[in-house]
Amino acid sequence: MKEWILELRSLRGYDALFIGLIVSLFCTQIITAAYLLIVLGVALYKKELIPALRKQPGALWIYAFIGLQVVVSAFEQNIVGLVNALGMGLVMLWLALYREKIHPKTLTLGIDLMLVLSILAGIYALVQFQEFSQAKGYSFWEFHIQNSPKRRIMATFDNANLYATMLEMWIFLGVYRFTQNKKISYRLFVVLVSFFNFGLLLLTGCRTALLPFVIVIPLFLWLAKEKGWFWLSVLVMGAGILFVCLNPSMIPRITDMSTLESRFKIWRCAWIGFCAYPLFGLGPQSYGMYYRMFDGHKAPHCHNIYIDAFASYGILGVVLLVIYAFRYLLPEIFSVRKTNPRLFGLMVGMIGIFLIHGLLDVTMNVLATSLVFLMILNSAPLYKRIENSSKNMIS
């Protein structure tokens, strides 16, 4: 721990600012947004932002997408969508700097810091659970999970489903660090933190967040060439699935089908909205407007990333995203498949979490979740830059 603290204190420049950003993720979105604006302002003043943007792969496509969402949201008076689109802009501008300035060692420190801070967030979440339980006349030890996301633990992440997504990613990052750091004391720390966060994940009542683990963790271990841990994970997952089948009540709210019924109502309304505005949609989180226009089930979004993408961004917006992802982002991810299989497995696993969780929810449209997700997906240049520097020194 002392060595870890010394490494943090030795950080300078953007590496230090990156650690500050990690801390801000555990605060409100307003604080995170303000922090990003300050960092980007500093970079602009130092004349480092524009050069970073020029090197950002696919910048034309991704900023065209963001610009389109800003224009459409403003034109359709979609205030939530406008704020969301501006937030996308902040994230992508930061990623341009991140790709050019952050050292891989700093990313590792940032992941460790998230694991440590997740403990503090978890303690706060447990206090919330006590308050929510007491308000409805339940004892803390009854572990009664309520249906409304606003009456389930959320820590500092606005609602239970967003907190569940953060927990989901922290647990997965813990698995990544477990394979990366061989020290027994560190591995014990990761295991304890991960089990603590998994318990909190159950208390969020977000059943969707449990689905990715069955596929993502074994997939990561296989891609990372951790064959022993892979087979152990397969056995554990299989035993877990069998246990849940025999004791379904162990998963909170698993027998409550009312939310699934509401999902179908939402998807029908979203389809009507898409048919009405197929080319551009109404901007991010258009469903918040569609359900009022077409007398649909009330919800902030479509509870499905695939449906939400077409309903919110329209065909043109989706095409821009697909071009950016398949022409620039995915080839970069696959470029480290042989040179850094563990990192490759981490990035593929994050995509798996996004795609599987996204079947029944939309939780990557806020700063905290999108920043963690996209910083991992854009981490290949950090390692390749160091590898190239080492080769140049040798030559």
Coordinates of all heavy atoms in Angstrom, one line a residue, residues 287-317:
Y287 N -36.8 8.4 -26.3 CA -37.9 7.8 -25.8 C -38.7 8.6 -24.7 O -39.9 8.5 -24.6 CB -37.6 6.4 -25.2 CG -38.8 5.6 -24.8 CD1 -39.6 5.0 -25.7 CD2 -39.3 5.7 -23.5 CE1 -40.7 4.3 -25.4 CE2 -40.5 5.0 -23.1 CZ -41.2 4.3 -24.1 OH -42.4 3.7 -23.7
G288 N -37.9 9.4 -24.0 CA -38.5 10.3 -23.0 C -39.5 11.3 -23.7 O -40.4 11.8 -23.0
M289 N -39.4 11.5 -25.0 CA -40.4 12.3 -25.7 C -41.4 11.4 -26.4 O -42.6 11.8 -26.5 CB -39.7 13.2 -26.7 CG -38.7 14.1 -26.1 SD -37.7 15.1 -27.4 CE -39.0 16.2 -27.9
Y290 N -41.0 10.2 -26.9 CA -41.9 9.4 -27.6 C -43.1 8.9 -26.7 O -44.2 8.8 -27.2 CB -41.1 8.1 -28.1 CG -40.2 8.4 -29.3 CD1 -39.0 7.7 -29.4 CD2 -40.5 9.4 -30.2 CE1 -38.2 7.9 -30.5 CE2 -39.6 9.6 -31.3 CZ -38.5 8.9 -31.4 OH -37.6 9.1 -32.5
Y291 N -42.8 8.5 -25.5 CA -43.9 8.0 -24.7 C -45.0 9.0 -24.4 O -46.1 8.7 -24.2 CB -43.3 7.4 -23.4 CG -43.1 8.3 -22.2 CD1 -44.1 8.8 -21.4 CD2 -41.8 8.7 -21.9 CE1 -43.9 9.6 -20.4 CE2 -41.5 9.5 -20.9 CZ -42.6 10.0 -20.1 OH -42.3 10.8 -19.0
R292 N -44.6 10.3 -24.4 CA -45.6 11.4 -24.3 C -46.4 11.6 -25.6 O -47.6 11.8 -25.6 CB -44.9 12.7 -23.9 CG -44.2 12.6 -22.5 CD -43.7 14.0 -22.1 NE -43.0 14.0 -20.8 CZ -41.8 13.8 -20.7 NH1 -41.0 13.6 -21.7 NH2 -41.2 13.9 -19.4
M293 N -45.6 11.5 -26.7 CA -46.3 11.7 -28.0 C -47.2 10.6 -28.4 O -48.3 10.8 -29.0 CB -45.2 11.9 -29.1 CG -44.3 13.1 -28.9 SD -42.8 13.0 -29.9 CE -43.4 13.0 -31.5
F294 N -46.8 9.3 -28.0 CA -47.6 8.2 -28.5 C -48.3 7.4 -27.4 O -48.7 6.3 -27.6 CB -46.7 7.3 -29.3 CG -46.0 8.0 -30.5 CD1 -44.6 8.2 -30.5 CD2 -46.7 8.4 -31.6 CE1 -44.0 8.8 -31.5 CE2 -46.1 9.1 -32.6 CZ -44.7 9.3 -32.6
D295 N -48.4 8.1 -26.2 CA -49.1 7.5 -25.1 C -48.5 6.1 -24.7 O -49.2 5.1 -24.6 CB -50.6 7.3 -25.4 CG -51.4 7.1 -24.1 OD1 -51.0 7.5 -23.0 OD2 -52.5 6.4 -24.2
G296 N -47.2 6.1 -24.6 CA -46.5 4.8 -24.3 C -46.2 4.7 -22.8 O -46.6 5.5 -22.0
H297 N -45.5 3.6 -22.5 CA -45.1 3.4 -21.1 C -44.0 4.3 -20.7 O -43.1 4.5 -21.4 CB -44.6 1.9 -20.9 CG -44.4 1.5 -19.5 ND1 -45.3 1.0 -18.7 CD2 -43.2 1.6 -18.8 CE1 -44.8 0.8 -17.5 NE2 -43.5 1.1 -17.5
K298 N -44.2 5.0 -19.5 CA -43.2 6.0 -19.1 C -41.9 5.4 -18.8 O -41.8 4.4 -18.1 CB -43.8 6.7 -17.9 CG -42.9 7.9 -17.4 CD -43.5 8.6 -16.2 CE -42.6 9.7 -15.7 NZ -43.1 10.4 -14.6
A299 N -40.8 6.0 -19.4 CA -39.5 5.5 -19.1 C -38.5 6.6 -19.7 O -38.8 7.3 -20.6 CB -39.2 4.2 -19.8
P300 N -37.3 6.7 -19.2 CA -36.3 7.6 -19.7 C -35.7 7.2 -21.0 O -35.1 8.1 -21.7 CB -35.3 7.7 -18.5 CG -35.3 6.4 -17.9 CD -36.8 6.0 -18.0
H301 N -35.6 5.9 -21.2 CA -35.0 5.4 -22.5 C -35.6 4.1 -22.8 O -36.6 3.6 -22.2 CB -33.5 5.2 -22.3 CG -33.1 4.5 -21.0 ND1 -33.4 3.2 -20.8 CD2 -32.5 4.9 -19.9 CE1 -33.0 2.8 -19.6 NE2 -32.4 3.8 -19.0
C302 N -35.1 3.4 -23.9 CA -35.8 2.2 -24.4 C -35.5 0.9 -23.7 O -36.1 -0.1 -24.0 CB -35.4 2.1 -25.9 SG -36.0 3.4 -26.9
H303 N -34.6 0.9 -22.7 CA -34.2 -0.3 -22.0 C -33.7 -1.4 -23.0 O -33.9 -2.6 -22.7 CB -35.4 -0.8 -21.2 CG -35.6 0.0 -19.9 ND1 -34.8 -0.2 -18.8 CD2 -36.5 1.0 -19.6 CE1 -35.2 0.7 -17.8 NE2 -36.2 1.4 -18.3
N304 N -33.1 -1.0 -24.0 CA -32.4 -1.9 -25.0 C -31.5 -1.0 -25.9 O -32.0 -0.1 -26.6 CB -33.4 -2.6 -25.8 CG -32.8 -3.6 -26.8 OD1 -32.1 -3.1 -27.8 ND2 -32.9 -4.8 -26.6
I305 N -30.2 -1.2 -25.8 CA -29.3 -0.3 -26.5 C -29.5 -0.3 -28.1 O -29.3 0.7 -28.7 CB -27.8 -0.6 -26.2 CG1 -27.5 -2.1 -26.5 CG2 -27.5 -0.2 -24.8 CD1 -26.0 -2.4 -26.5
Y306 N -29.9 -1.5 -28.6 CA -30.1 -1.6 -30.0 C -31.3 -0.9 -30.5 O -31.2 -0.1 -31.5 CB -30.2 -3.1 -30.4 CG -29.1 -4.0 -29.8 CD1 -29.3 -4.7 -28.6 CD2 -27.8 -4.0 -30.3 CE1 -28.3 -5.4 -28.0 CE2 -26.8 -4.8 -29.8 CZ -27.1 -5.5 -28.6 OH -26.0 -6.2 -28.0
I307 N -32.4 -1.0 -29.8 CA -33.6 -0.3 -30.1 C -33.4 1.2 -29.9 O -33.8 2.0 -30.7 CB -34.8 -0.8 -29.3 CG1 -35.1 -2.3 -29.7 CG2 -36.1 0.0 -29.6 CD1 -36.1 -3.0 -28.9
D308 N -32.8 1.5 -28.7 CA -32.6 2.9 -28.3 C -31.7 3.6 -29.4 O -32.0 4.8 -29.7 CB -31.9 2.9 -27.0 CG -32.0 4.3 -26.4 OD1 -33.0 4.7 -25.8 OD2 -31.0 5.1 -26.5
A309 N -30.7 2.9 -29.9 CA -29.8 3.6 -30.9 C -30.6 4.0 -32.1 O -30.5 5.2 -32.6 CB -28.7 2.6 -31.3
F310 N -31.5 3.2 -32.7 CA -32.3 3.5 -33.9 C -33.3 4.5 -33.5 O -33.6 5.5 -34.3 CB -32.9 2.3 -34.5 CG -31.9 1.5 -35.3 CD1 -31.3 0.4 -34.8 CD2 -31.6 1.9 -36.6 CE1 -30.4 -0.4 -35.5 CE2 -30.7 1.1 -37.4 CZ -30.1 0.0 -36.8
A311 N -34.0 4.4 -32.4 CA -35.1 5.3 -32.0 C -34.5 6.7 -31.7 O -35.2 7.7 -32.0 CB -35.8 4.8 -30.8
S312 N -33.3 6.8 -31.1 CA -32.8 8.1 -30.7 C -32.0 8.7 -31.8 O -32.1 9.9 -32.0 CB -31.9 7.9 -29.4 OG -32.6 7.5 -28.3
Y313 N -31.1 8.0 -32.4 CA -30.1 8.5 -33.4 C -30.6 8.4 -34.8 O -30.0 9.1 -35.7 CB -28.8 7.9 -33.3 CG -28.3 7.7 -31.8 CD1 -27.7 6.6 -31.4 CD2 -28.4 8.8 -30.9 CE1 -27.2 6.5 -30.1 CE2 -28.0 8.7 -29.6 CZ -27.4 7.5 -29.2 OH -26.9 7.4 -27.9
G314 N -31.6 7.6 -35.1 CA -32.1 7.4 -36.5 C -31.1 6.6 -37.3 O -30.0 6.3 -36.8
I315 N -31.4 6.4 -38.5 CA -30.6 5.6 -39.4 C -29.2 6.2 -39.6 O -28.2 5.6 -39.6 CB -31.3 5.3 -40.7 CG1 -32.5 4.4 -40.5 CG2 -30.3 4.6 -41.7 CD1 -33.4 4.3 -41.7
L316 N -29.2 7.5 -39.9 CA -28.0 8.3 -40.2 C -27.0 8.2 -39.0 O -25.8 8.0 -39.1 CB -28.3 9.7 -40.5 CG -27.1 10.6 -40.9 CD1 -26.3 9.9 -42.1 CD2 -27.5 12.0 -41.3
G317 N -27.6 8.4 -37.8 CA -26.7 8.4 -36.6 C -26.1 7.1 -36.3 O -24.9 6.9 -36.0

